[in-house]
C-alpha cells in the first residue's frame, strides 16, 4: 500500500542499519530511490491513501546524526470530547485523560495541571479508550490531533480547544559518519526554511501555524 506524506518525502528518516557502506548518498543516487520510514498513523504527516516524528532528545544524538536545522517543532494538545467541561489547561484538574506510554509530557501535565493520565501503548489503544468513554480526551502531539479532526469518525463529537504548549522539536537523523548524506539533507532543510515550504504546507494541510516554522523562515530568508 502506498504511503502518502505531508511535509516531505524525508520525514522520520531512520538511521540506516546493516553493514557499513562507503557512501549512503552515492548508493541512493545509484538506486534512484530514497527509501524512508514514515509513521502511517500520524495524519497529515503520514497516512495511508485510499489505495491502501521523532523528537530531538540528547540520548538519540548519541547514536544518530541529527540534521540541523531541525525541520519542525510541534506542541502538546488534547483531543477532547465536545461535552467535556474543559476550556483551559487548568480545567483538566481531577479529570482523566488517555495518553501514550512513554510520552515525556505525561508526567509534566499530570503534575502541573492535576490531570489523571491512563497510558496505553501506541496511539490506537488510547483512541479506542477515548471512544469508549474511558477518558475525556487524548493527550498527544498537536499535529496528530489536528489530523484526527479531519476524519469523519472524530470531527463530529470531538474538538481541540486548548492552546498548544511545550514546544517539542522534531528531527530527521542519519547514521553516524555519513557526512555526505548529512550535508545533502542539511542543504534541503535550509532550502525549506528559506523558501517557506514548511509554512506553506502547514496552510495546505490545515495545521495550526507554528511559531517555530515562522521563526525559521524569517531567519533563513534574511540570510542570517
Amino acid at each position: 500500500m502506498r504511503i502518502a506524506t505531508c511535509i516531505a518525502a524525508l520525514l522520520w528518516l531512520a538511521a540506516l542499519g546493516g553493514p557499513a557502506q562507503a557512501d549512503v548518498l552515492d548508493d541512493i543516487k545509484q538506486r534512484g530511490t530514497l527509501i524512508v520510514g514514515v509513521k502511517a498513523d500520524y495524519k497529515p504527516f503520514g497516512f495511508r491513501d485510499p489505495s491502501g516524528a521523532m523528537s530531538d532528545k540528547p540520548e538519540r544524538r548519541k547514536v544518530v546524526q541529527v540534521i540541523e536545522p531541525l525541520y519542525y517543532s510541534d506542541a502538546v494538545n488534547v483531543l477532547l470530547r465536545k461535552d467535556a467541561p474543559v476550556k483551559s489547561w487548568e480545567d483538566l484538574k481531577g479529570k482523566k485523560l488517555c495518553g501514550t506510554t512513554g510520552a515525556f509530557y505525561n508526567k509534566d501535565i499530570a503534575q502541573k495541571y492535576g490531570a489523571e493520565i491512563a497510558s496505553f501503548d501506541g496511539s490506537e489503544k488510547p483512541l479506542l479508550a477515548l471512544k469508549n468513554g474511558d477518558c475525556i480526551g487524548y493527550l498527544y502531539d498537536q499535529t496528530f490531533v489536528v489530523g484526527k479532526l479531519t476524519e469523519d469518525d472524530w470531527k463530529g463529537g470531538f474538538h481541540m480547544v486548548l492552546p498548544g504548549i511545550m514546544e517539542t522539536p522534531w528531527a530527521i537523523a542519519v547514521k553516524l559518519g555519513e557526512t555526505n548524506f548529512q550535508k545533502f539533507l542539511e542543504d534541503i532543510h535550509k532550502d525549506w526554511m528559506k523558501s517557506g515550504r514548511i509554512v506553506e504546507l502547514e496552510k495546505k494541510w490545515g495545521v495550526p501555524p507554528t511559531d517555530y516554522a515562522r521563526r525559521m523562515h524569517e531567519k533563513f530568508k534574511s540570510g542570517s
Side-chain angles (χ1 to χ4, degrees):
M1 297 180 181
R2 186 166 63 89
I3 298 295
T5 59
C6 163
I7 290 297
L10 298 174
L11 301 190
W12 291 289
L13 181 67
L16 300 177
Q21 302 180 44
D23 193 306
V24 170
L25 184 55
D26 285 343
D27 291 341
I28 292 170
K29 289 179 178 179
Q30 182 176 0
R31 184 172 62 235
T33 303
L34 175 62
I35 301 171
V36 299
V38 181
K39 286 174 65 65
D41 62 349
Y42 205 103
K43 192 174 182 179
F45 285 82
F47 59 96
R48 295 190 182 278
D49 69 7
S51 68
M54 62 184 179
S55 55
D56 181 24
K57 297 295 180 183
E59 57 270 22
R60 291 201 174 110
R61 290 191 175 230
K62 296 177 182 179
V63 295
V64 294
Q65 175 62 54
V66 172
I67 304 302
E68 302 278 6
L70 300 178
Y71 76 95
Y72 200 64
S73 187
D74 197 13
V76 177
N77 216 310
V78 182
L79 175 62
L80 278 166
R81 299 180 61 90
K82 284 187 176 180
D83 58 3
V86 174
K87 299 297 182 182
S88 69
W89 285 93
E90 288 73 19
D91 291 338
L92 293 174
K93 185 175 182 178
K95 297 181 175 62
K96 186 175 181 179
L97 297 178
C98 292
T100 293
T101 302
F104 75 94
Y105 41 75
N106 287 350
K107 183 177 180 180
D108 293 336
I109 297 299
Q111 290 181 341
K112 185 172 182 178
Y113 298 107
E116 177 189 347
I117 300 177
S119 296
F120 301 82
D121 293 336
S123 59
E124 292 305 314
K125 290 181 180 179
L127 287 173
L128 179 60
L130 175 58
K131 275 192 172 181
N132 290 339
D134 298 333
C135 52
I136 66 165
Y138 177 31
L139 177 69
Y140 205 48
D141 297 345
Q142 179 168 282
T143 46
F144 181 90
V145 174
V146 171
K148 279 298 169 186
L149 289 174
T150 66
E151 301 176 9
D152 291 339
D153 285 350
W154 297 97
K155 62 185 178 183
F158 300 84
H159 60 181
M160 185 180 76
V161 296
L162 302 180
I165 58 173
M166 301 175 68
E167 184 176 274
T168 308
W170 290 359
I172 289 175
V174 300
K175 188 176 180 179
L176 290 172
E178 295 293 348
T179 54
N180 289 338
F181 198 21
Q182 174 188 346
K183 176 64 165 55
F184 173 75
L185 291 176
E186 286 175 348
D187 289 342
I188 289 177
H189 279 208
K190 291 174 183 177
D191 181 68
W192 288 348
M193 304 307 176
K194 184 176 182 179
S195 67
R197 178 65 172 160
I198 303 298
V199 175
E200 293 172 0
L201 287 170
E202 286 181 329
K203 294 177 181 178
K204 176 181 177 179
W205 291 92
V207 176
T210 59
D211 185 58
Y212 180 82
R214 179 194 59 78
R215 290 198 318 265
M216 297 303 283
H217 177 46
E218 293 297 323
K219 175 181 178 179
F220 280 87
K221 78 174 184 180
S222 64
S224 58

